Amino acid sequence: MGEAVSPINLNLKHPELFRDQAYVNGKWIEAKSGKRFDIVDPGSNQKFASCPDMAAEDADDAVKAAHEAFQVFRTFTPRTRADLLAKFDALIREHKDDLATILVYETGKPLVEAYGEIEYAASFTRWFTGEAERVQGATFPAAIPGRRIFTIKQPLGVTAALVPWNFPIAMILRKAGAALAAGCTMVAKPSPETPLSALSLAYLAEKAGYPQGVFNVLPTTLTNTPSLSEALCKHPLVKKVTFTGSTRVGKILAAHCADGLKKLTLELGGNCPFVVFDDANLDQTIDALMPLKFRHAGQACITANRVYVQRGIYDRFANLLVEKTRQIRVGHGIDKTTTMGPLTVPAGVDKVAGQVEDAKKNGGTVLTGGNRMKLNNGYFFEPTIITNASQSMKIASEETFGPVLALFPFDTEEEAVKLANDTSMGLASYCFTKNVDRMWRMFENLEAGMIGLNSGNSSAAESPFGGIKDSGFGKESGKDVAINEYLITKTGTLTLEGQY
C-alpha cells in the first residue's frame, strides 16, 4: 500500500497516517514524470517531507477511476452512504492528534487552532451524514387534468475539488462531505503547501470502507497547478468543479468550465468589512474581532479586513484593541504556548509588509507591530494595528491575508454602508450595534452573502456559506443548499387515464 515514513520525527501516534504518495483508484502512486516536490514548515523554513508532482498527464487516470467508481457508488442507498460518512467521521476524530500535528507543520497555525480546524472540519462529515438521508424530491399540482408532476434528485457524477492551504482539512471535508453524501465521486487537488493533510484523509476514507476510485487525491506543485486544474476542469467526465481561492483564479477556472457548461461552486476572496457603532458593547465586539482577525495569522477569507469604527468610540476602541493585540504570543505552532503562528507562504509576509509601508506613507499610524519578525527563520510578522486609515491606502482595497488590522473612522450609518460596500467582493460583512432597527437595516443593506450581527466568525456546517459579487457563487454548507450543489433535479410528468 505504499506506506511512508516522514524524514523528520513528527511523533505521530499512528505513523501509518503519514502518506507522501498520490492516491488514485485505491492505490498509492507516483507521478508519471517521477518528479517530487518538497513540503516546507512555515515556522522554520525547513523541508520536512515531499510528494509526487502530479501533472496534467496524471489527471485522466484519476478522473476515469472516479467515473468507473461512480457507476457503482451512485447505486448505494442513502443509508449506506450515511454509514460510510459516519465511519469516516469517527476515524477523523480518532486521529485528531496526528492530523493536528500534520496541520501545524504544513500551515504553521498554532496547535490549538489545528485542533479547532479538525473539530470544525469534522462538523461537516457529521452534518452531511444526516444530509445523505434528507435528499428528497417533490410533487406539484398539475394545471392539466389527468397529469401528475414530480421530481427526483440524483448525483451529478465525478467532481473535482480545488482546495486552498489555509484550512486544508476543513475545505476538503466541506466539499467531500456534500459530494459523498450525494453519491458523487471526487478527485481532490490540494494546495502545493498542504498535500499531506489531504493524503491523510484519503487513507482514512479508505479505512472507513469507501470503494476504490470514490475519493482520489492529486498533489502537485505551484508550477503544475494551472495545467492540472485546467485538465480537471475541461475533462468531459468531470461534471462539477468546486474551488476555494482567489477571485483571479476563480475567473480563470470559470472560463475553463464554460465550454463544458459544468456546474461550478466558487468561494473566492473576501476583503470583509467590520462595522462598529457607538452603541456597541465594546468587550463583546473585541472578543469577536480578535479571533476573527488573528486566527491563522489573519489568513482566512472571512477575516475582518477593513474595520470601520464610529468616531465617538474610535480612540477608546483602538486602545482596547492594542491592549488585546499585545497579549498575542507569536511562535512556532507546535509550541503549546503559541497563540499566533507564521504566515504560510513567504509572499504573504511581503504583502503585509508592503501594506504597512503604504499605510504609513498615506498618513496611517502604527500603534503596535508593523515589522517582520526574525524567529526560527520562519515566515513571521508582528500582529499590527493601524489607525487613521483611509480609502487611499492599499489595505482598503486589497485583501490583506495577514495579521494587520486597520481602523477607519466614520460618522453616520449611511457613510458606513457606503464604505463597507465599496469593494468588488461580497463574501462576509460584520456589524456591531445594540440598535435593533439599525441592525436590521445593516443586514439588508450590506452587500455580502453572509452577515455577522454582533457575531464574529459564524461559519458552521448548518449555516449556508457563500458570497456574492466577485466573491463567487454557490453554497458549501447548510441544509439542502450545499448537497444540492452535487445533485441534479429530474422532472417527471405522468399522464393517467381514468383519473381526474
Side-chain angles (χ1 to χ4, degrees):
M1 228 187 42
E3 292 190 11
V5 179
S6 172
I8 65 171
N9 188 2
L10 297 177
N11 292 315
L12 301 182
K13 295 179 180 179
H14 304 278
E16 69 278 5
L17 187 68
F18 181 88
R19 297 281 156 167
D20 67 350
Q21 291 179 296
Y23 185 69
V24 174
N25 202 25
K27 297 179 176 62
W28 300 96
I29 64 171
E30 295 292 325
K32 289 183 178 180
S33 67
K35 295 180 179 178
R36 296 178 68 86
F37 65 100
D38 294 321
I39 316 300
V40 176
D41 167 24
S44 64
N45 195 26
Q46 294 295 309
K47 301 172 185 176
F48 73 98
S50 67
C51 279
D53 186 5
M54 309 301 278
E57 62 183 357
D58 297 293
D60 188 57
D61 288 347
V63 173
K64 285 180 177 177
H67 178 69
E68 290 180 16
F70 174 69
Q71 306 311 312
V72 177
F73 190 58
R74 70 193 298 272
T75 68
F76 283 24
T77 65
R79 175 63 56 83
T80 301
R81 295 199 298 271
D83 288 345
L84 280 170
L85 259 179
K87 291 176 184 176
F88 192 20
D89 176 82
L91 286 168
I92 291 164
R93 296 174 191 276
E94 180 184 332
H95 291 79
K96 65 181 180 180
D97 293 337
D98 290 342
L99 289 171
T101 298
I102 292 170
L103 267 180
V104 167
Y105 280 100
E106 281 193 310
T107 67
K109 64 181 59 178
L111 191 61
V112 65
E113 288 188 10
Y115 278 110
E117 177 178 343
I118 293 163
E119 185 61 35
Y120 172 60
S123 72
F124 295 111
T125 45
R126 175 174 289 174
W127 174 260
F128 287 112
T129 294
E131 283 288 88
E133 296 190 86
R134 291 194 286 260
V135 175
Q136 298 174 338
T139 60
F140 305 88
I144 299 175
R147 280 193 174 179
R148 302 294 183 266
I149 302 172
F150 40 87
T151 60
I152 60 172
K153 301 288 183 71
Q154 294 179 310
L156 268 169
V158 178
T159 63
L162 311 177
V163 186
W165 47 255
N166 56 343
F167 292 89
I169 290 183
M171 294 302 95
I172 280 195
L173 291 182
R174 191 161 71 184
K175 300 171 189 299
L180 296 173
C184 295
T185 56
M186 177 168 280
V187 179
K189 188 210 74 64
S191 174
E193 291 79 12
T194 55
L196 301 176
S197 49
L199 294 168
S200 296
L201 291 177
Y203 169 74
L204 294 178
E206 178 182 83
K207 195 173 179 181
Y210 281 100
Q212 293 181 353
V214 170
F215 185 65
N216 309 271
V217 178
L218 301 178
T220 191
T221 55
L222 188 60
T223 300
N224 275 331
T225 286
S227 58
L228 176 55
S229 299
E230 181 177 358
L232 291 172
C233 289
K234 291 185 174 180
H235 199 293
L237 295 179
V238 172
K239 303 302 179 184
K240 154 86 180 183
V241 175
T242 173
F243 169 71
T244 298
S246 72
T247 297
R248 180 187 66 83
V249 173
K251 290 180 178 181
I252 293 172
L253 297 177
H256 291 334
C257 291
D259 285 345
L261 294 177
K262 297 185 191 297
K263 197 167 186 178
L264 182 63
T265 299
L266 296 175
E267 192 266 283
L268 308 178
N271 198 17
C272 307
F274 187 103
V275 182
V276 187
F277 287 93
D278 283 345
D279 65 343
N281 180 326
L282 297 193
D283 290 333
Q284 178 191 41
T285 304
I286 288 177
D287 285 346
L289 178 57
M290 288 298 294
L292 182 67
K293 178 62 211 182
F294 293 109
R295 179 184 56 158
H296 194 14
Q299 299 171 113
C301 56
I302 59 170
T303 191
N305 204 65
R306 298 169 291 137
V307 179
Y308 296 100
V309 183
Q310 200 160 21
R311 206 173 297 274
I313 58 166
Y314 186 89
D315 291 338
R316 182 181 168 208
F317 186 81
N319 291 333
L320 289 171
L321 197 57
V322 167
E323 181 182 345
K324 288 284 189 180
T325 302
R326 286 175 176 164
Q327 295 172 16
I328 295 174
R329 189 184 187 282
V330 181
H332 195 287
I334 207 66
D335 182 344
K336 292 182 180 180
T337 64
T338 292
T339 57
M340 193 186 90
L343 283 83
T344 302
V345 295
V349 180
D350 295 336
K351 182 176 183 179
V352 294
Q355 285 194 350
V356 171
E357 288 307 308
D358 173 78
K360 289 193 291 186
K361 289 177 182 177
N362 284 278
T365 301
V366 176
L367 295 187
T368 187
N371 301 299
R372 300 170 188 257
M373 297 180 69
K374 295 182 179 179
L375 185 62
N376 302 330
N377 202 33
Y379 314 141
F380 293 94
F381 198 90
E382 293 177 329
T384 302
I385 305 295
I386 298 174
T387 56
N388 303 320
S390 66
Q391 295 300 108
S392 63
M393 298 175 181
K394 288 182 180 179
I395 202 167
S397 58
E398 294 181 356
E399 187 175 19
T400 301
F401 234 62
V404 176
L405 189 156
L407 301 179
F408 299 75
F410 74 90
D411 292 299
T412 67
E413 178 182 330
E414 292 73 21
E415 180 188 4
V417 170
K418 182 178 180 181
L419 290 169
N421 291 338
D422 186 19
T423 174
S424 64
M425 299 179 187
L427 184 60
S429 295
Y430 306 91
C431 172
F432 284 75
T433 178
K434 292 301 180 181
N435 182 320
V436 67
D437 295 320
R438 176 191 290 141
M439 182 69 81
W440 193 262
R441 291 193 300 269
M442 294 295 287
F443 179 50
E444 293 190 353
N445 293 335
L446 289 172
E447 297 174 354
M450 300 172 289
I451 312 295
L453 308 172
N454 287 336
S455 301
N457 177 21
S458 54
S459 177
E462 65 274 14
S463 174
F465 188 102
I468 59 175
K469 299 163 70 174
D470 274 2
S471 290
F473 46 76
K475 299 295 182 183
E476 285 206 320
S477 54
K479 186 178 183 298
D480 299 332
V481 290
I483 198 169
N484 278 338
E485 298 283 344
Y486 296 86
L487 296 167
I488 59 170
T489 300
K490 186 178 290 185
T491 302
T493 302
L494 173 67
T495 299
L496 300 174
E497 293 183 354
Q499 185 70 346
Y500 60 88

